[in-house]
Amino acid sequence: MRPLAEGPRVGIRPFTLDDGPEFVARARESRDLHHPWLFPPTTPAAYATYAGRLIEDPAKAGFLVCERDGGAIAGFVNINNIVEGAFQCGALGYGAFAHAAGRGLMGEGLRLVVAHAFTALGLHRLEINVQPGNAASIALARRCGFRLEGFSPDFLFVDGAWRDHERWALTTRMWSDHLADRP
């Protein structure tokens, strides 16, 4: 499948059901990296349900971040809870796979998804909700121009308990300003 957008090292493309075997293998290899923050599907059946929702639900858009050299799936970025009308907003969720972690691939991929969301999808605002202890996710949000907007106690049910989250956001104007500030 052709990428929707490409950067120097990665491209983004929609999920397909055919991506299941690679996605599941990468998720299994990445359990230690993801725990306790994230629990992507690790069985074919769970992947089919997960990808099916991203493919069919108009309030969701899922993107695989794939390495340009060889096409390996480096991670994923999902836009959930897309609201149109006067709001034009979506909530981002993302994860890198272990083989790609720390290589800057997710930063490149997240920037491509943000650009796609603000241009092709016509969204005005994107939000990221992240647990305060997830330093890697917070650093990624910050590098991509998101600003900290607040703190939500007991916000999401993760790993068996209601967890506090920081709220990060980016609007089209902030995105344009962030791009102008980058070398």
Side-chain angles (χ1 to χ4, degrees):
M1 176 179 286
R2 288 183 53 122
L4 295 171
E6 289 183 305
R9 297 180 299 151
V10 301
I12 59 167
R13 63 175 178 79
F15 277 73
T16 71
L17 294 177
D18 291 340
D19 293 309
E22 182 182 1
F23 189 98
V24 165
R26 300 273 184 211
R28 287 178 180 165
E29 294 165 0
S30 304
R31 281 185 178 147
D32 290 343
L33 174 68
H34 293 154
H35 187 81
W37 320 113
L38 182 65
F39 299 89
T42 57
T43 68
Y47 175 83
T49 300
Y50 174 79
R53 282 193 303 255
L54 291 168
I55 293 166
E56 295 184 21
D57 186 342
K60 297 180 185 295
F63 304 93
L64 294 173
V65 177
C66 298
E67 295 182 61
R68 288 186 66 182
D69 183 22
I73 300 172
F76 56 95
V77 181
N78 301 329
I79 307 174
N80 300 297
N81 306 322
I82 297 172
V83 179
E84 296 179 343
F87 200 34
Q88 296 295 326
C89 183
L92 295 177
Y94 48 80
F97 289 127
H99 76 282
R103 295 173 45 204
L105 302 177
M106 283 305 295
E108 189 176 319
L110 181 57
R111 284 188 286 277
L112 291 171
V113 171
V114 167
H116 183 77
F118 286 153
T119 57
L121 299 181
L123 297 180
H124 167 72
R125 177 183 172 87
L126 294 169
E127 299 177 356
I128 297 171
N129 296 293
V130 59
Q131 292 179 59
N134 189 342
S137 186
I138 290 169
L140 178 58
R142 187 177 283 124
R143 278 193 313 273
C144 290
F146 285 76
R147 74 170 172 226
L148 178 62
E149 288 193 334
F151 179 80
S152 299
D154 297 335
F155 186 67
L156 288 173
F157 195 77
V158 179
D159 196 26
W162 289 99
R163 307 289 180 183
D164 299 342
H165 281 70
E166 292 181 1
R167 294 186 322 275
W168 293 77
L170 183 67
T171 64
T172 54
R173 188 184 78 228
M174 292 165 54
W175 173 64
S176 295
D177 292 347
H178 182 71
L179 288 178
D181 291 343
R182 294 191 73 189

